[in-house]
């Protein structure tokens, strides 16, 4: 049909000509964009080089690569308990590393290592495609990039750090051969269990030199660099096995081994070496104390000179102390309200995906000693089923559910409710059954030393060093409660007090006018007042009213001065009557050293830890002689120490710590419990003549431990557990009476203070009060200030 007249006439264009013209214009546009993009990229690269290249570290020292020898800390019996340093390895030349080991590493870490120039662009594309396809995750970091990152750069994740990494990679590739770079990598990479480098790892995991590893063993070791904890064949065998099989497949794909060799490797049973006693020894707090001490003397050389430090610690005693503290804290934790699961995860129904999800949880929440991580598969008030990396479900019923009962209740709040996907902790019982538990919030401290020379035999600064590195033995200033009373009674012995002196256990009241602050009406722990009783009975039963009256007799200023003889700081123990109830502050180490004065016959001896230091050739650099008990360090008289020992022995026989002698079946035990006001701190400090130990339990942020929690119920069991092993085979040792004491009527007296020489008769000469009154006198003028919080046993 013809076109209308008024229609515009447009001559038709050939179709081919229009298409080529558009294409040409597109090509020109794309080329322009490409040129502009390249120019921009070159500009950015130039700017990065200008900014970053001058700041790159000097790598010339790698040409003469030698390991920096670490600081090693040993117990007195030669067990390695700590290692500190940048590198912990012996250099193994690349020629001595077997091909099977390098091939296994190259297969999984950088198969094109000998083909690229440090950055593997083909590998980066392949990794991206694999990851997008949800195949096994593949990384894009080459071995050279890992050397650059691990040797010279921090773990910070930023674009600038990545630029530095790439530039440093090019610099390394330019200055060193591929063999040199591979040698550095094979010797410096961290592989878990304190092992750096594959030579060390072969010894740690398989107990054999690297030259003897099989294909299967090499594949297992090659899986460690990615995540030494997650793929550790000792602690996570199933996950390590999965990665080993993947690496064997990669070795076949890259032509490093045949399919027949691969099949043999898959079938080969691996005999993984269990951790040695040194690896099992938990002495992290002690090792850190040594590190700080050595660093203050040697500076940065501490970590490079190969120093060996030997200590007074006994490995068996340390192991028992660690176990006793852990057991005591976990027993306490069973009595606490359940705080809920650590996390909730969505669990898939597909078995393979479920295993992978559980593996991820276990990697993010590692086991804490005997507190093992588990994931709940199903839960009801009567049964909980959990899974770990073993693949076998664990069923928990009955008594094992009691610690978390509140989390199984139908009306439990969502954050507390134990349900499928909950991440929980389980503990195996001595009966080989399982209990549900939780990570403790409470802390504890324990220290044991030889009172004859001050040598520290065991020290546990907290429940878990990885969780809390604060050393409660040396750093925690806590109120000692009634465990401080013996030092007040020691002062009173010098004023004429005797074990048989009768003192009134009756109410005391101090008005606001008398105190200069708030009224004060102290109480006994049990709330009872039992009238007149002997000092021996009063201390054994930890009667607060009697202790206050004894301090009144001594005088607060006099008592404050007296306690400094035991190593306590006067300003930490204000001269108020509350000092009788332990209202000052002390550390567990100070308490152990203070009780050592009673144990060793009256000498104040400073605790010591380091005996000698040697270099990497075994040459002695420093030797620390053991302190000696001489009259220069005498703190109290032998007779004072002897009579106080008699009183402390009564406490472990019939008093608040009677469980000690009843359990350990030996009379040569002495000590005192202590529980502060509102049950904030729980103590037991005690000794046998060859060993003194202090135990403390409490929260870092002080709060109530529980209305029924006491030093006798919390700390004493830890002390007994330790002593039951530490004193095994040690003969009973009872001290002989020193000069100046006499025995009358079954009790001990200073010679000049025998019955008939009463305190009242001595009072005028000594500036003391007379017979202790049943009602409270006015507080001395220096005490007319606010009274500190009360403390009870």
């Amino acid at each position: 049909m013809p076109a209308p007249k008024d229609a515009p006439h447009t001559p038709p264009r050939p179709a081919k000509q229009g298409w080529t013209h558009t294409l040409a214009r597109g090509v020109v546009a794309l080329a322009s964009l490409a040129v502009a993009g390249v120019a921009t990229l070159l500009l950015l690269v130039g700017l990065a080089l200008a900014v970053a290249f001058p700041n790159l570290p000097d790598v010339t020292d790698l040409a003469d690569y030698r390991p920096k020898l670490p600081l090693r800390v040993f117990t007195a019996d030669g067990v390695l308990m700590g290692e500190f340093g940048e590198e912990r390895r012996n250099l193994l030349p690349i020629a001595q590393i077997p091909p099977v080991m390098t091939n296994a590493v190259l297969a999984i870490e950088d198969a094109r290592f000998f083909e690229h120039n440090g950055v593997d662009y083909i590998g980066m594309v392949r990794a991206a495609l694999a990851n997008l396809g949800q195949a096994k995750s593949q990384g894009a970091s080459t071995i050279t990039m890992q050397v650059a990152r691990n040797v010279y750069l921090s773990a910070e994740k930023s674009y600038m750090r990545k630029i530095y990494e790439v530039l440093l990679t090019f610099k390394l590739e330019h200055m060193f051969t591929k063999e040199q770079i591979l040698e550095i990598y094979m010797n410096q990479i961290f592989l878990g269990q304190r092992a750096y480098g594959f030579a060390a790892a072969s010894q740690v995991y398989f107990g054999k030199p690297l030259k003897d590893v099989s294909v299967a063993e090499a594949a297992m070791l090659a899986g460690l660099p990615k995540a030494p904890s997650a793929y550790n064949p000792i602690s996570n065998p199933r996950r390590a096995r999965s990665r080993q099989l993947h690496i064997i497949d990669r070795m076949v794909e890259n032509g490093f081994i045949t399919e027949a060799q691969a099949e043999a490797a898959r079938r080969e049973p691996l005999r993984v070496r269990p951790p040695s006693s040194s690896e099992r020894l938990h002495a992290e707090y002690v090792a850190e104390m040594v590190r700080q001490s050595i660093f203050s003397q040697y500076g940065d050389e501490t970590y490079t000179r190969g120093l060996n430090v030997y200590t007074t610690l006994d490995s068996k005693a340390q192991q028992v102390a660690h176990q006793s503290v852990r057991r005591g804290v976990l027993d306490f934790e069973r009595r606490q309200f359940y705080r809920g699961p650590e996390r909730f995860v969505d669990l898939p129904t597909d078995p393979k995906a479920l295993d992978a999800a559980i593996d991820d949880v276990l990697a993010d929440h590692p086991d804490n000693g005997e507190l093992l991580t588990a994931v709940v598969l199903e839960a009801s008030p009567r049964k909980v089923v959990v899974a770990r990396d073993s693949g076998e479900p664990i069923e928990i019923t009955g008594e094992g559910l009691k610690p978390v009962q509140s989390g199984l209740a139908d009306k439990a709040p969502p954050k507390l409710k134990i349900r499928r996907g909950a991440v929980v902790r389980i503990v195996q019982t001595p009966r080989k059954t399982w209990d549900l538990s939780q990570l403790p919030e409470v802390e504890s401290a324990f220290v044991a030393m030889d009172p004859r020379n001050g040598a520290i035999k065991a020290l546990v600064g907290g429940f878990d060093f990885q969780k809390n590195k604060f050393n409660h033995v040396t750093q925690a200033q806590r109120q000692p409660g009634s465990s401080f009373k013996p030092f007040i009674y020691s002062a009173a012995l010098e004023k004429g007090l005797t074990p048989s002196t009768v003192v009134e256990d009756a109410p005391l009241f101090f008005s606001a006018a008398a105190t200069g602050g708030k009224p004060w009406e102290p109480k006994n722990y049990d709330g009872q007042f039992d009238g007149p009783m002997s000092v021996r009975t009063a201390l054994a039963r930890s009667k607060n009213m009697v202790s206050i009256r004894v301090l009144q007799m001594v005088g607060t200023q006099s008592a404050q001065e007296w306690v400094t003889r035991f190593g306590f700081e006067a300003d930490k123990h204000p001269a108020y009557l509350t000092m009788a109830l332990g209202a000052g502050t002390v550390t567990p180490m100070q308490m152990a050293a203070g009780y050592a004065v009673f144990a060793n016959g009256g000498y104040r001896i400073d605790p010591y830890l380091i005996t000698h230091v040697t270099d990497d050739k075994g040459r002695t650099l420093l030797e620390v002689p053991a302190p000696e008990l001489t009259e220069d360090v005498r703190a109290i008289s032998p007779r004072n120490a002897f009579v106080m020992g008699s009183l402390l022995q009564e406490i472990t026989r019939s008093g608040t710590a009677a469980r000690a002698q009843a359990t350990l079946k030996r009379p040569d035990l002495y000590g005192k419990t202590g529980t502060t006001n509102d049950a904030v701190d729980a103590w037991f400090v005690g000794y046998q003549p060859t060993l003194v130990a202090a135990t403390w339990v409490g929260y870092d942020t002080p709060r109530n431990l529980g209305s029924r929690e006491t030093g006798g119920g919390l700390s004493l069991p830890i002390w007994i557990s330790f002593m039951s092993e530490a004193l095994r085979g040690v003969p009973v040792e009872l001290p002989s009476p020193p000069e100046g004491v006499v025995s009358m009527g079954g009790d001990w007296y200073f010679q000049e203070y025998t019955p008939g020489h009463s305190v009242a008769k001595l009072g005028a000469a000594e500036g003391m009060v007379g017979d202790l009154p049943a009602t409270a006198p006015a507080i001395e003028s220096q005490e007319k200030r606010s009274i500190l919080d009360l403390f009870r046993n």
Side-chain angles (χ1 to χ4, degrees):
M1 184 174 66
K5 291 183 178 181
D6 56 347
H9 179 71
T10 54
R13 287 182 180 176
K16 187 173 182 180
Q17 178 187 357
W19 178 83
T20 54
H21 181 73
T22 302
L23 179 61
R25 291 180 62 185
V27 168
V28 170
L30 287 174
S32 300
L33 287 173
V35 170
V38 170
T40 303
L41 179 61
L42 290 174
L43 179 61
L44 291 174
V45 171
L47 287 172
L49 286 170
V51 172
F53 201 84
N55 297 318
L56 290 179
D58 183 11
V59 300
T60 54
D61 59 336
L62 281 181
D64 187 28
Y65 178 71
R66 291 292 182 270
K68 297 174 181 177
L69 300 177
L71 167 72
R72 290 184 172 91
V73 185
F74 297 90
T75 63
D77 48 335
V79 175
L80 178 66
M81 62 174 171
E83 201 170 22
F84 302 92
E86 298 174 27
E87 303 169 5
R88 304 163 194 167
R89 66 192 66 78
N90 292 317
L91 182 63
L92 192 64
I94 190 67
Q96 296 179 23
I97 299 176
V100 66
M101 189 68 254
T102 54
N103 289 340
V105 170
L106 293 175
I108 192 62
E109 295 294 335
D110 191 354
R112 300 185 66 254
F113 174 70
F114 286 99
E115 300 170 27
H116 60 65
N117 64 347
V119 177
D120 186 4
Y121 304 103
I122 295 175
M124 292 173 68
V125 173
R126 184 186 296 115
L129 292 175
N131 294 339
L132 286 173
Q134 295 184 348
K136 273 197 176 284
S137 166
Q138 296 184 22
S141 288
T142 66
I143 282 177
T144 312
M145 293 171 74
Q146 292 183 56
V147 170
R149 179 168 61 244
N150 295 337
V151 176
Y152 288 106
L153 302 177
S154 69
E156 172 198 8
K157 292 184 178 180
S158 66
Y159 289 114
M160 184 55 68
R161 194 205 65 84
K162 195 66 180 177
I163 291 173
Y164 275 109
E165 181 181 311
V166 172
L167 293 177
L168 189 55
T169 295
F170 291 145
K171 189 172 183 178
L172 289 172
E173 288 274 344
H174 175 72
M175 295 189 65
F176 302 107
T177 67
K178 288 287 188 178
E179 288 75 13
Q180 287 176 309
I181 295 170
L182 187 58
E183 180 179 289
I184 295 166
Y185 177 83
M186 299 293 284
N187 280 282
Q188 66 86 33
I189 194 71
F190 176 63
L191 300 170
Q193 299 294 125
R194 300 193 182 125
Y196 284 75
F198 288 94
S202 179
Q203 289 287 354
V204 167
Y205 293 106
F206 301 119
K208 60 168 63 175
L210 189 61
K211 64 182 180 64
D212 296 332
V213 296
S214 64
V215 172
E217 291 166 337
M220 182 69 78
L221 294 175
L224 290 165
K226 181 180 180 182
S229 176
Y231 298 115
N232 187 320
I234 294 174
S235 60
N236 201 339
R238 191 165 66 89
R239 196 165 188 176
R241 169 67 171 167
S242 175
R243 184 155 177 82
Q244 178 211 30
L245 294 177
H246 173 59
I247 292 172
I248 291 173
D249 291 342
R250 294 278 296 160
M251 293 178 76
V252 174
E253 292 172 18
N254 286 279
F256 292 132
I257 58 174
T258 65
E259 181 56 43
Q261 289 174 307
E263 187 57 34
R266 296 184 190 108
R267 292 196 306 267
E268 180 183 331
L270 295 188
R271 293 176 176 82
V272 178
R273 181 186 185 189
S276 68
S277 58
S278 64
E279 290 166 331
R280 289 198 304 268
L281 182 65
H282 287 279
E284 297 90 344
Y285 290 98
V286 185
E288 175 61 15
M289 289 170 64
V290 172
R291 184 198 68 80
Q292 292 179 19
S293 177
I294 296 299
F295 183 81
S296 67
Q297 182 166 350
Y298 291 95
D300 291 337
E301 287 190 336
T302 297
Y303 311 116
T304 60
R305 284 189 60 179
L307 299 175
N308 299 303
V309 184
Y310 295 87
T311 68
T312 60
L313 214 70
D314 179 274
S315 63
K316 292 180 181 178
Q318 178 65 25
Q319 188 173 21
V320 172
H322 174 78
Q323 292 169 346
S324 298
V325 167
R326 300 273 301 190
R327 189 181 303 116
V329 169
L330 292 179
D331 286 346
F332 168 78
E333 196 60 51
R334 285 181 62 87
R335 303 191 291 272
Q336 305 313 300
F337 187 79
Y338 185 56
R339 295 181 293 275
E342 295 175 37
R343 179 184 167 192
F344 294 97
V345 294
D346 294 326
L347 294 181
T349 55
D350 176 67
K352 290 185 177 179
L354 177 63
D355 288 346
I358 292 173
D359 283 347
D360 289 340
V361 168
L362 296 178
D364 292 339
H365 298 264
D367 295 339
N368 186 304
E370 62 272 55
L371 282 169
L372 308 181
T373 309
V375 181
V376 175
L377 300 180
E378 59 178 274
S380 72
R382 294 189 175 182
K383 182 177 73 173
V384 173
V385 179
V386 301
R388 280 181 48 76
D389 56 1
S390 63
E392 293 295 326
I394 298 171
E395 188 175 294
I396 304 172
T397 59
E399 291 291 319
L401 301 178
K402 281 191 174 181
V404 300
Q405 202 63 55
S406 57
L408 295 171
D410 292 335
K411 295 183 179 180
K415 290 183 178 181
L416 193 69
K417 183 75 171 177
I418 296 178
R419 58 184 183 272
R420 180 177 172 82
V423 179
V424 296
R425 298 284 169 165
I426 61 174
V427 180
Q428 192 168 36
T429 70
R431 305 182 307 277
K432 303 302 180 184
T433 59
W434 292 93
D435 286 355
L436 281 163
S437 187
Q438 60 186 335
L439 286 173
E441 292 183 347
V442 76
E443 278 293 353
S444 183
F446 180 91
V447 59
M449 59 180 279
D450 188 332
R452 299 165 297 184
N453 57 20
I456 296 172
K457 296 299 182 181
L459 188 152
V460 181
F463 180 77
D464 177 22
F465 182 77
Q466 298 306 320
K467 170 189 167 188
N468 187 351
K469 293 177 172 56
F470 183 77
N471 189 337
H472 297 83
V473 168
T474 59
Q475 296 176 286
Q477 291 282 346
R478 307 294 294 217
Q479 292 161 322
S482 294
S483 64
F484 197 74
K485 288 177 180 177
F487 306 110
I488 305 301
Y489 280 75
S490 171
L493 292 180
E494 299 298 322
K495 300 289 188 179
L497 195 78
T498 74
S500 64
T501 298
V502 175
V503 183
E504 189 77 23
D505 177 32
L508 288 167
F509 176 77
F510 303 97
S511 67
T515 64
K518 297 179 180 179
W520 183 40
E521 188 175 7
K523 303 291 184 183
N524 286 321
Y525 168 61
D526 58 8
Q528 303 298 314
F529 302 100
D530 296 323
M533 64 178 60
S534 70
V535 164
R536 177 177 292 277
T537 300
L539 185 58
R541 296 171 59 185
S542 200
K543 287 291 187 175
N544 289 340
M545 302 305 104
V546 173
S547 297
I548 293 171
R549 288 186 165 94
V550 168
L551 180 54
Q552 284 180 314
M553 184 195 86
V554 173
T556 54
Q557 294 284 4
S558 178
Q560 183 189 47
E561 181 182 348
W562 183 263
V563 300
T564 62
R565 293 169 175 254
F566 298 86
F568 299 110
E569 302 163 67
D571 62 342
K572 298 287 180 64
H573 301 276
Y576 306 135
L577 287 179
T578 46
M579 181 166 49
L581 309 184
T585 58
V586 298
T587 67
M589 183 71 86
Q590 287 177 324
M591 290 297 283
Y595 272 68
V597 175
F598 298 134
N600 63 28
Y603 301 95
R604 176 184 166 185
I605 195 145
D606 293 326
Y608 82 106
L609 180 60
I610 296 173
T611 59
H612 62 284
V613 180
T614 67
D615 63 13
D616 62 316
K617 300 292 192 300
R619 294 172 297 207
T620 300
L621 303 178
L622 175 68
E623 194 151 6
V624 181
E628 295 181 0
L629 303 182
T630 65
E631 291 305 309
D632 293 341
V633 294
R634 179 164 291 285
I636 61 176
S637 66
R639 65 179 187 172
N640 189 302
F642 178 82
V643 174
M644 280 307 306
S646 172
L647 293 172
L648 294 173
Q649 186 183 37
E650 186 67 38
I651 297 171
T652 66
R653 187 188 70 83
S654 66
T656 56
R659 191 191 311 183
Q661 288 196 37
T663 303
L664 299 177
K665 310 296 183 186
R666 54 189 304 155
D668 58 341
L669 303 176
Y670 313 78
K672 182 71 182 76
T673 54
T675 314
T676 61
N677 194 44
D678 292 330
V680 170
D681 297 278
W683 291 83
F684 182 77
V685 190
Y687 62 89
Q688 189 270 350
T690 64
L691 196 61
V692 58
T695 309
W696 166 85
V697 177
Y699 291 102
D700 276 339
T701 301
R703 71 174 194 257
N704 187 278
L705 289 163
S707 59
R708 298 184 178 180
E709 303 294 352
T710 65
L714 274 178
S715 294
L716 178 60
I718 296 173
W719 189 91
I720 291 174
S721 174
F722 172 79
M723 287 294 187
S724 66
E725 293 298 324
L727 296 180
R728 190 182 298 276
V730 177
V732 171
E733 184 176 332
L734 297 172
S736 301
E739 292 184 9
V741 298
V742 294
S743 177
M744 297 181 66
D747 225 326
W748 293 101
Y749 300 84
F750 286 10
Q751 208 160 23
E752 63 271 34
Y753 297 146
T754 54
H757 296 78
S758 69
V759 175
K761 291 179 181 178
L762 293 167
E766 298 293 331
M768 298 181 294
V769 299
D771 292 328
L772 298 181
T775 57
I779 297 180
E780 300 165 83
S781 60
Q782 70 267 23
E783 293 163 343
K784 290 185 177 179
R785 306 176 190 178
S786 297
I787 300 297
L788 301 177
D789 288 340
L790 287 190
F791 287 82
R792 57 174 171 76
N793 174 59

